[in-house]
Amino acid sequence: MKHLLTITELHNEEILEILSEAQQFSEGKIWTPAKEQFVANLFFEPSTRTKFSFEVAEKKLGLQVLNFETQSSSVQKGETLYDTVKTLEAIGTNAVVIRHPQDHYFDELVDGISIPIINGGDGCGHHPTQCLLDLLTMQQEFGKFIGLNVVIVGDIRHSRVARSNADVLKRLGANVYFSGPEPWMDETMVNGNYVSMDEAVQFADVMMMLRIQHERHAFKMISSKQEYHQIFGLTIEREAQMKPKSIIMHPAPINRDVEIASSLVECSKSRIFKQMTNGVAVRQAVLKRALQLKKEVVLNG
Amino acid sequence: MKHLLTITELHNEEILEILSEAQQFSEGKIWTPAKEQFVANLFFEPSTRTKFSFEVAEKKLGLQVLNFETQSSSVQKGETLYDTVKTLEAIGTNAVVIRHPQDHYFDELVDGISIPIINGGDGCGHHPTQCLLDLLTMQQEFGKFIGLNVVIVGDIRHSRVARSNADVLKRLGANVYFSGPEPWMDETMVNGNYVSMDEAVQFADVMMMLRIQHERHAFKMISSKQEYHQIFGLTIEREAQMKPKSIIMHPAPINRDVEIASSLVECSKSRIFKQMTNGVAVRQAVLKRALQLKKEVVLNG
Amino acid sequence: MKHLLTITELHNEEILEILSEAQQFSEGKIWTPAKEQFVANLFFEPSTRTKFSFEVAEKKLGLQVLNFETQSSSVQKGETLYDTVKTLEAIGTNAVVIRHPQDHYFDELVDGISIPIINGGDGCGHHPTQCLLDLLTMQQEFGKFIGLNVVIVGDIRHSRVARSNADVLKRLGANVYFSGPEPWMDETMVNGNYVSMDEAVQFADVMMMLRIQHERHAFKMISSKQEYHQIFGLTIEREAQMKPKSIIMHPAPINRDVEIASSLVECSKSRIFKQMTNGVAVRQAVLKRALQLKKEVVLNG
């Protein structure tokens, strides 16, 4: 399987292999494909981190980069995603990175497209490279996942990314807890592991804050950002209660003084910008895996 | 003459030279200019195929690529096309590729601009690299144009691209026929060579389907897409009537199940994605020609 | 100091050093950094000249270029400029070029950002590389600034760019005069050096025309473009009165037949496109300075 569509489809061994490769890239390893390769980035939703992180990763690998701008493409003329990707394949693209607002957009692609598809995020569904960079950040910090206490804070119910992250962390051996407004919890998911923020900061190794989606209905239920911050946010007072070697993570973009106090964004426990740095190394590893696997398929085929 | 503005301006020998060069590129030939060269792509209309095809061609030639985004340029401040291109020339661009909604936009450029202009499509006027990639696809398939039966299907009257393609095919020795709704035909053009779709599929070597422009008045005259497809489309039934070695072409983007049955887009007779692949090779040849001719001018000047 | 934020912050010696380096680049000097470097261009306002001039400069220096498109970024989700630049730093960008509509946007950046910021224009505040390319153009022409008669024509009051240019020219030894509608003059700036256009063309070595901002209130006070051109524009008749070795400059985009007669844009006295060519060399010099200084900081740090 050459695509990277969801984190769920990866076995533990595959995940650990990607992390190992990514760690090497983060330490300066250089790898470039034997011959010129083209990668196209198709971002159908606004993105800074993910898009540029992929672009830097691609350029570090010496790949030729095609940046597909939705506004100036034939998507404006009603062309389907399948025909767009098939076109990119026809003109010599060796892999595509796609972010798209529709959940499981890739279901209509996988049968007919013969180049690797790397999912840069689909709707509120999956975001496998975000998950991998989160894992890399924890692994660098703690050297292991077994027994790690991770508290995920935010809208668990509507964030399948949070849910698939939680699943992966569990199968890697971590203890996963949840915090946030109760209407945002999912009982089958949480399964008794709900903690208040005041409890969470006492024992968490990792406080994994989710971004609040302003546009979501759930957010409108909150009386005010200040109140959210006081009850469910990582306040300056709560940070002071955290264990000495614990860390703070957030996928960004950050709502400062909502999920987390603005002054904590760059505090000594924060790994928020480290996560972004790791994102490049993870994407180098994922791209190398896609382009190499493709080569093998060609050799066998 | 270093520009490439219309297919009409090219002699048969020039066309065959470009096709020969393109064929070599399609077989893996590598050519890069002796020193660093910059090319700017100015697309004032949405495009996927043409834009990325040029970008891949440019990068395969080792050129430095500047992608001009209309929305973020001084065109927004009312700057003329001439001043925009003159600016790109002043900052060191060695050639420009332009797609523009205005017919013959290049008429205001050719006197003052001293770098080659490659027309990536003007209004509904000309699209010389599309014509060349169509020719390359036919030449690869049949090895000759003389005596080839080509049926062009669609809005002939309003598509000068179709008309200039027909002219070039005729002067290269092909027999050109037309099909489609009668109000879309042009008598002086068709000149007795109108055939029904049911007739066409019997004798055509090439079924050259044109894209239906949804936004055009003519399209609104059609009672329904289903009806168009039944009368003027390449249906599954009609494809079964085609000669063994005949092929299907379409410039894309495709209106699936209108011009052509969706399931035929990737059928064994379809060269639709092959055309896109050939587009890269043709654009490599055209860019090489423009940059080399420019060099000669400099050497002599 | 590794940033380049305003021209005011540069000593005369620093300015002359940059001009000397730029002159070498304009004569074909090649310099590339020892290892791969990434530069991001963040343009929050439309721009053709400045943006592509930086991009060409970057590519001539062999830098990896990230083009940040505002429309497709997380700025759309309300991310702050600081968090955006910090993100780019985290993913491995070595310098950023920023154009932003807000005056002194960089004030919120300089404390937390540890990569060089090159100001590509802030609001109606500063535009240091434009100033430097103007200076390079004059230096190439006259070999000196001392005693040079420069007449700046246009909206002096609302253009701090014009004001900082005037300040720099004065401290380099030039005689600076002003012309244009009186409501656009600033008494403390002009300080008796107001001249009419008919006077100006008699003695000016440099007629430095400013662009009229259509969107500004002041412009709406003008009864008509034709009237402005007759009274304050560089007409064909006035050009004929200019001294033999005098030159015409304009930052562009040009309002043809308003600030300057259309037929003069490419006349023998015009250095308008030469300014653009010089812009690339100046930006190469500025980027080299930023990336080299950064390296020194790292070595000492």
Side-chain angles (χ1 to χ4, degrees):
Chain A
M1 178 56 163
K2 58 199 183 309
H3 304 307
L4 177 61
L5 305 176
T6 71
I7 195 73
T8 314
E9 80 202 14
L10 295 177
H11 299 299
N12 285 4
E13 300 71 42
E14 288 174 294
I15 291 174
L16 296 173
E17 267 171 42
I18 293 173
L19 295 183
S20 164
E21 185 93 76
Q23 181 59 32
Q24 293 174 51
F25 278 119
S26 78
E27 290 164 7
K29 168 177 169 166
I30 290 172
W31 177 85
T32 52
K35 62 190 245 342
E36 186 174 58
Q37 303 253 19
F38 284 78
V39 175
N41 299 319
L42 286 79
F43 279 71
F44 293 87
E45 285 190 318
S47 164
T48 295
R49 253 156 302 282
T50 308
K51 188 181 169 194
F52 282 104
S53 180
F54 268 111
E55 188 170 341
V56 170
E58 291 155 4
K59 289 181 170 172
K60 279 182 183 251
L61 295 180
L63 308 177
Q64 293 278 22
V65 179
L66 301 172
N67 282 315
F68 183 91
E69 300 292 333
T70 319
Q71 301 96 326
S72 55
S73 77
S74 290
V75 171
Q76 299 299 328
K77 302 183 197 166
E79 185 162 36
T80 64
L81 181 62
Y82 178 83
D83 284 345
T84 299
V85 177
K86 198 76 192 167
T87 294
L88 290 166
E89 182 186 321
I91 63 173
T93 304
N94 302 97
V96 285
V97 177
I98 305 178
R99 164 169 288 194
H100 198 283
Q102 183 193 312
D103 278 13
H104 271 257
Y105 67 82
F106 40 78
D107 288 349
E108 59 170 296
L109 301 180
V110 287
D111 285 341
I113 303 297
S114 61
I115 55 174
I117 299 162
I118 297 170
N119 184 7
D122 63 299
C124 53
H126 302 90
H127 196 350
T129 57
Q130 177 70 41
C131 183
L132 288 164
L133 74 88
D134 290 342
L135 293 174
L136 180 62
T137 306
M138 290 185 233
Q139 194 186 51
Q140 284 174 348
E141 202 71 31
F142 302 102
K144 61 175 176 70
F145 299 102
I146 295 168
L148 211 61
N149 292 325
V150 181
V151 183
I152 304 179
V153 185
D155 187 353
I156 314 300
R157 183 185 289 273
H158 301 98
S159 167
R160 262 177 290 161
V161 174
R163 294 155 66 119
S164 57
N165 278 14
D167 284 337
V168 169
L169 280 164
K170 283 180 198 167
R171 64 173 153 108
L172 288 169
N175 309 312
V176 182
Y177 303 84
F178 301 91
S179 193
E182 282 192 51
W184 290 358
M185 296 299 119
D186 176 312
E187 266 321 301
T188 58
M189 188 72 199
V190 173
N191 194 23
N193 280 346
Y194 181 85
V195 291
S196 73
M197 279 297 284
D198 290 323
E199 293 169 318
V201 291
Q202 301 293 332
F203 72 92
D205 295 303
V206 181
M207 290 296 294
M208 198 172 189
M209 316 303 294
L210 301 180
R211 171 178 167 76
I212 292 188
Q213 310 284 331
H214 290 279
E215 56 281 16
R216 289 285 185 73
H217 173 68
F219 188 66
K220 294 180 186 119
M221 292 162 55
I222 301 169
S223 52
S224 77
K225 291 180 182 181
Q226 288 74 11
E227 191 181 322
Y228 183 93
H229 185 61
Q230 281 315 311
I231 305 178
F232 305 110
L234 191 51
T235 59
I236 293 168
E237 296 71 27
R238 288 194 182 106
E239 188 267 350
Q241 302 293 315
M242 287 175 69
K243 296 196 295 184
K245 296 198 169 171
S246 62
I247 62 169
I248 301 165
M249 290 172 62
H250 190 297
I254 306 152
N255 297 300
R256 286 171 177 266
D257 293 322
V258 183
E259 297 106 60
I260 182 170
S262 184
S263 66
L264 296 179
V265 171
E266 295 179 54
C267 76
S268 65
K269 286 191 176 316
S270 168
R271 293 297 174 273
I272 297 176
F273 291 104
K274 181 68 178 168
Q275 285 171 272
M276 298 180 204
T277 304
N278 283 337
V280 176
V282 156
R283 283 154 187 141
Q284 285 181 279
V286 163
L287 285 159
K288 173 170 183 272
R289 175 177 173 271
L291 293 169
Q292 282 192 320
L293 281 174
K294 179 158 185 283
K295 199 174 159 186
E296 286 163 27
V297 170
V298 171
L299 288 172
N300 299 337
Chain B
M1 180 55 164
K2 56 201 182 306
H3 305 307
L4 178 62
L5 306 177
T6 70
I7 195 73
T8 315
E9 80 203 13
L10 294 177
H11 299 298
N12 283 4
E13 299 72 39
E14 288 173 294
I15 290 174
L16 296 173
E17 267 171 41
I18 294 173
L19 295 183
S20 164
E21 185 92 77
Q23 180 59 32
Q24 292 175 50
F25 278 119
S26 80
E27 289 165 5
K29 169 177 169 168
I30 290 173
W31 176 86
T32 54
K35 62 191 249 336
E36 185 175 58
Q37 303 254 19
F38 284 78
V39 175
N41 299 320
L42 285 80
F43 280 71
F44 293 86
E45 286 190 318
S47 166
T48 296
R49 253 156 302 281
T50 308
K51 189 181 167 193
F52 282 106
S53 180
F54 268 111
E55 188 170 341
V56 171
E58 291 155 3
K59 289 181 169 171
K60 280 182 180 249
L61 295 180
L63 308 177
Q64 293 278 21
V65 180
L66 301 172
N67 283 315
F68 183 91
E69 299 292 334
T70 319
Q71 300 95 327
S72 56
S73 77
S74 290
V75 171
Q76 299 298 326
K77 303 180 194 167
E79 186 163 35
T80 63
L81 181 62
Y82 177 84
D83 284 346
T84 299
V85 177
K86 197 78 192 166
T87 294
L88 290 166
E89 180 186 322
I91 64 174
T93 305
N94 301 98
V96 286
V97 177
I98 305 178
R99 165 170 287 194
H100 199 282
Q102 185 193 312
D103 278 12
H104 270 257
Y105 67 82
F106 40 78
D107 288 347
E108 60 169 296
L109 300 180
V110 286
D111 285 340
I113 303 298
S114 59
I115 55 174
I117 299 162
I118 296 170
N119 185 7
D122 63 301
C124 52
H126 303 91
H127 196 350
T129 57
Q130 178 70 42
C131 183
L132 288 164
L133 73 87
D134 290 342
L135 293 175
L136 180 62
T137 306
M138 290 185 235
Q139 194 186 51
Q140 285 175 349
E141 201 70 32
F142 302 101
K144 61 175 176 71
F145 298 102
I146 295 169
L148 212 60
N149 292 326
V150 181
V151 182
I152 304 180
V153 184
D155 187 353
I156 314 299
R157 183 186 288 276
H158 302 97
S159 168
R160 263 177 290 160
V161 173
R163 294 156 65 120
S164 56
N165 278 14
D167 285 336
V168 168
L169 280 164
K170 283 181 200 167
R171 65 172 153 108
L172 288 169
N175 308 314
V176 182
Y177 302 85
F178 302 91
S179 193
E182 282 192 50
W184 290 358
M185 294 299 119
D186 176 313
E187 266 322 302
T188 58
M189 189 71 202
V190 174
N191 195 21
N193 280 344
Y194 182 85
V195 290
S196 73
M197 278 297 283
D198 290 324
E199 292 169 318
V201 292
Q202 301 293 333
F203 73 92
D205 296 302
V206 181
M207 290 296 293
M208 199 173 190
M209 315 304 292
L210 302 180
R211 171 177 167 77
I212 292 188
Q213 310 284 331
H214 290 280
E215 56 280 16
R216 290 284 183 77
H217 174 67
F219 189 66
K220 295 180 187 117
M221 292 161 53
I222 301 169
S223 52
S224 77
K225 291 180 184 181
Q226 287 75 9
E227 190 182 323
Y228 182 92
H229 186 61
Q230 282 313 312
I231 306 178
F232 305 110
L234 191 51
T235 59
I236 292 169
E237 294 73 27
R238 288 195 182 105
E239 190 267 348
Q241 302 294 315
M242 288 176 67
K243 295 197 295 185
K245 295 198 170 172
S246 61
I247 62 169
I248 300 165
M249 292 172 62
H250 190 298
I254 305 152
N255 297 299
R256 285 169 177 268
D257 293 323
V258 183
E259 297 104 62
I260 180 170
S262 185
S263 65
L264 296 180
V265 172
E266 296 179 53
C267 76
S268 66
K269 286 193 177 311
S270 168
R271 295 295 175 273
I272 298 177
F273 292 105
K274 181 68 177 169
Q275 285 171 272
M276 299 180 202
T277 305
N278 283 337
V280 176
V282 156
R283 280 147 191 147
Q284 285 182 278
V286 163
L287 285 159
K288 175 171 182 273
R289 175 177 174 271
L291 293 168
Q292 280 191 322
L293 282 176
K294 182 163 181 280
K295 200 175 162 187
E296 286 163 27
V297 169
V298 171
L299 288 172
N300 300 338
Chain C
M1 179 56 163
K2 56 199 184 306
H3 305 308
L4 177 63
L5 306 175
T6 70
I7 194 74
T8 315
E9 80 202 13
L10 295 177
H11 300 297
N12 284 3
E13 298 72 40
E14 288 173 296
I15 290 174
L16 296 174
E17 267 171 40
I18 293 172
L19 295 184
S20 164
E21 185 91 76
Q23 180 60 32
Q24 293 174 51
F25 278 119
S26 79
E27 290 165 5
K29 169 177 168 167
I30 289 172
W31 176 86
T32 53
K35 61 191 246 342
E36 186 174 57
Q37 303 254 19
F38 284 78
V39 175
N41 299 319
L42 286 80
F43 279 71
F44 293 87
E45 286 190 317
S47 166
T48 295
R49 254 155 300 281
T50 308
K51 188 181 169 195
F52 282 104
S53 180
F54 268 112
E55 188 169 342
V56 170
E58 291 155 2
K59 289 181 169 171
K60 279 180 182 252
L61 296 179
L63 307 177
Q64 293 278 22
V65 179
L66 302 171
N67 283 315
F68 182 92
E69 300 293 332
T70 319
Q71 300 96 324
S72 56
S73 77
S74 290
V75 171
Q76 300 298 329
K77 302 181 196 167
E79 185 162 37
T80 64
L81 181 61
Y82 177 85
D83 284 346
T84 299
V85 177
K86 198 78 192 166
T87 295
L88 290 166
E89 182 187 321
I91 64 174
T93 305
N94 301 97
V96 284
V97 177
I98 305 178
R99 164 169 286 194
H100 199 283
Q102 184 192 312
D103 280 12
H104 270 255
Y105 67 80
F106 42 76
D107 288 348
E108 59 170 297
L109 300 180
V110 286
D111 285 341
I113 303 298
S114 60
I115 54 173
I117 299 162
I118 296 171
N119 184 7
D122 63 301
C124 51
H126 302 90
H127 197 350
T129 56
Q130 176 71 42
C131 183
L132 288 164
L133 74 87
D134 290 342
L135 292 174
L136 180 62
T137 306
M138 291 185 233
Q139 195 185 51
Q140 285 175 349
E141 201 70 33
F142 302 102
K144 62 177 174 71
F145 299 101
I146 295 169
L148 213 59
N149 292 326
V150 181
V151 183
I152 304 179
V153 184
D155 187 353
I156 314 299
R157 183 186 289 274
H158 301 98
S159 168
R160 262 177 290 160
V161 173
R163 294 156 66 120
S164 56
N165 277 15
D167 284 337
V168 169
L169 280 165
K170 283 181 198 168
R171 64 172 154 109
L172 288 169
N175 307 313
V176 182
Y177 302 86
F178 302 91
S179 192
E182 281 191 50
W184 289 359
M185 295 299 119
D186 176 312
E187 265 322 302
T188 56
M189 189 71 201
V190 174
N191 195 23
N193 280 345
Y194 182 86
V195 290
S196 73
M197 279 297 283
D198 291 324
E199 293 169 319
V201 292
Q202 300 294 333
F203 71 92
D205 295 304
V206 180
M207 291 296 294
M208 199 173 187
M209 316 304 293
L210 301 180
R211 171 178 166 77
I212 292 187
Q213 311 284 330
H214 289 279
E215 55 280 17
R216 288 285 183 75
H217 173 65
F219 188 66
K220 294 180 187 120
M221 291 161 54
I222 300 169
S223 51
S224 78
K225 291 180 184 181
Q226 287 75 9
E227 190 181 323
Y228 182 91
H229 186 60
Q230 281 313 313
I231 306 178
F232 304 111
L234 191 51
T235 59
I236 293 168
E237 295 73 27
R238 288 195 182 106
E239 190 268 347
Q241 301 293 315
M242 288 176 67
K243 295 197 295 185
K245 296 197 169 173
S246 62
I247 62 169
I248 300 165
M249 291 172 62
H250 189 298
I254 305 152
N255 297 299
R256 286 171 178 265
D257 293 323
V258 183
E259 298 105 59
I260 181 170
S262 184
S263 65
L264 296 179
V265 171
E266 294 180 55
C267 75
S268 66
K269 286 192 176 315
S270 168
R271 294 297 175 274
I272 296 176
F273 291 105
K274 181 70 177 169
Q275 284 171 274
M276 298 179 203
T277 304
N278 284 336
V280 176
V282 156
R283 281 151 190 144
Q284 284 182 279
V286 163
L287 285 158
K288 174 171 183 272
R289 176 178 173 267
L291 293 168
Q292 281 191 319
L293 281 174
K294 180 158 185 281
K295 200 174 162 189
E296 285 164 27
V297 169
V298 171
L299 289 171
N300 299 338

